[in-house]
Amino acid sequence: RGRPLQESFSRLVEACSDPSLSMERWLSRLDSSRWLSHVKAALSTACLAAQCLDREERKVLVHGAEGTDTTLLVTALAQLILEPSCRSLQGFQELLEREWIEAGHPFQLRCARSASSHARGKQEAPLFLLFLDCVWQLSRQFPFSLEFGEQLLLALFDNAYASAYGTFLCNNERERSLCKVRESTHSLWAWLNRPEERQKYLNPLYSHNPLVIWPSVEPQSIQLWRGLFLRWIRPSQHLQEAREEIRRLVEGN
């Protein structure tokens, strides 16, 4: 449900914004936020749908309380698990366009404000962020199987909440048509696919994996997405340097 998820997100942000917490207190706050429980639940449900399709060869009907929220979360994750083409940079963009934008996820309502805002809307809920977190979990467990890296996921999070592009504007295709979004704004995908930009988001360790990827949902396998939730209080310079060194070594070989 949107409200519990939003409250969970807010508690997590509050914990991540308090650097004075002891390790014991920090772990307690992280656990009580229940954010990682939501991540586990989303991945578990997507794996169940994928298992029915792949191993049992059954058709699957996915229906959440809000058809444009958890339904899209599960179907998009299941396709990432099952379909290698969705794990390429181009395929992932097409997946987002198809399963989130064209399917009518109400970005304007769900991503209206930030977690730290004191005036949150009743319909605000970080469903898209939860999806991005789950994708990050997949990229961490299968570091060679996704053509894109963490930088793309961070860029998508930033643009979902505040963007110079029209890709995530409005709540559905009808609103975008009435507002002439495509005629009056630029596409985020067009910017990301420019050669000089595209290179920033590629995973240098990528190697095409034609197999289904089955993520572990054990507690020890689900980790906090530090690159997002701690990005403002933890320097990222060394991580960026490490990424550049990995890229240099791969290109050198």
Side-chain angles (χ1 to χ4, degrees), residues 126-194:
L127 267 301
F128 187 62
L129 169 58
L130 181 61
F131 168 72
L132 295 178
D133 197 330
C134 290
V135 177
W136 178 82
Q137 304 289 337
L138 289 174
S139 71
R140 191 187 62 79
Q141 293 189 29
F142 300 93
F144 304 103
S145 297
L146 277 67
E147 188 183 20
F148 52 90
E150 181 183 52
Q151 290 304 112
L152 176 67
L153 302 178
L154 293 173
L156 291 171
F157 167 77
D158 291 339
N159 280 276
Y161 279 86
S163 180
Y165 304 94
T167 302
F168 295 119
L169 289 181
C170 302
N171 294 306
N172 50 54
E173 285 295 291
R174 181 175 181 274
E175 288 187 11
R176 280 186 280 274
S177 177
L178 290 173
C179 296
K180 300 185 182 303
V181 168
R182 286 183 171 82
E183 295 84 353
S184 57
T185 67
H186 294 286
S187 167
L188 175 63
W189 310 134
W191 172 261
L192 293 180
N193 288 323
R194 295 173 62 186

Side-chain angles (χ1 to χ4, degrees), residues 20-240:
S20 65
L21 294 175
S22 65
M23 179 59 69
E24 182 178 358
R25 181 62 176 157
W26 153 248
L27 292 175
S28 176
R29 292 275 293 273
L30 174 62
D31 183 62
S32 63
S33 75
R34 294 191 55 77
W35 179 261
L36 296 183
S37 297
H38 292 300
V39 173
K40 176 181 178 179
L43 285 173
S44 297
T45 308
C47 284
L48 176 60
Q51 180 177 332
C52 292
L53 290 165
D54 181 66
R55 296 182 176 176
E56 301 177 20
E57 298 183 350
R58 302 279 187 174
K59 295 180 180 180
V60 179
L61 173 65
V62 181
H63 179 62
E66 290 286 342
T68 56
D69 284 326
T70 51
T71 303
L72 306 184
L73 173 68
V74 171
T75 56
L77 286 174
Q79 289 177 69
L80 271 174
I81 291 170
L82 291 170
E83 182 52 56
S85 64
C86 291
R87 299 176 219 140
S88 69
L89 181 59
Q90 183 63 37
F92 186 61
Q93 293 176 26
E94 293 172 356
L95 176 72
L96 294 177
E97 186 72 28
R98 179 178 67 249
E99 294 297 316
W100 288 88
I101 298 173
E102 292 180 358
H105 180 68
F107 282 97
Q108 185 172 339
L109 289 174
R110 300 294 186 262
C111 305
R113 300 178 178 85
S114 66
S116 57
S117 171
H118 295 294
R120 288 187 288 274
K122 291 183 179 179
Q123 298 192 60
E124 185 179 0
L127 267 301
F128 187 62
L129 169 58
L130 181 61
F131 168 72
L132 295 178
D133 197 330
C134 290
V135 177
W136 178 82
Q137 304 289 337
L138 289 174
S139 71
R140 191 187 62 79
Q141 293 189 29
F142 300 93
F144 304 103
S145 297
L146 277 67
E147 188 183 20
F148 52 90
E150 181 183 52
Q151 290 304 112
L152 176 67
L153 302 178
L154 293 173
L156 291 171
F157 167 77
D158 291 339
N159 280 276
Y161 279 86
S163 180
Y165 304 94
T167 302
F168 295 119
L169 289 181
C170 302
N171 294 306
N172 50 54
E173 285 295 291
R174 181 175 181 274
E175 288 187 11
R176 280 186 280 274
S177 177
L178 290 173
C179 296
K180 300 185 182 303
V181 168
R182 286 183 171 82
E183 295 84 353
S184 57
T185 67
H186 294 286
S187 167
L188 175 63
W189 310 134
W191 172 261
L192 293 180
N193 288 323
R194 295 173 62 186
E196 63 272 24
E197 285 296 314
R198 189 176 188 274
Q199 194 64 29
K200 299 177 184 178
Y201 305 111
L202 293 177
N203 173 14
L205 300 177
Y206 173 69
S207 176
H208 178 71
N209 180 2
L211 305 175
V212 177
I213 55 175
W214 297 106
S216 170
V217 294
E218 294 300 319
Q220 64 270 24
S221 300
I222 305 297
Q223 295 188 11
L224 178 70
W225 184 5
R226 297 183 297 276
L228 173 67
F229 295 111
L230 301 179
R231 67 193 291 199
W232 291 282
I233 62 173
R234 183 180 181 182
S236 59
Q237 175 188 353
H238 300 304
L239 291 175
Q240 183 62 32

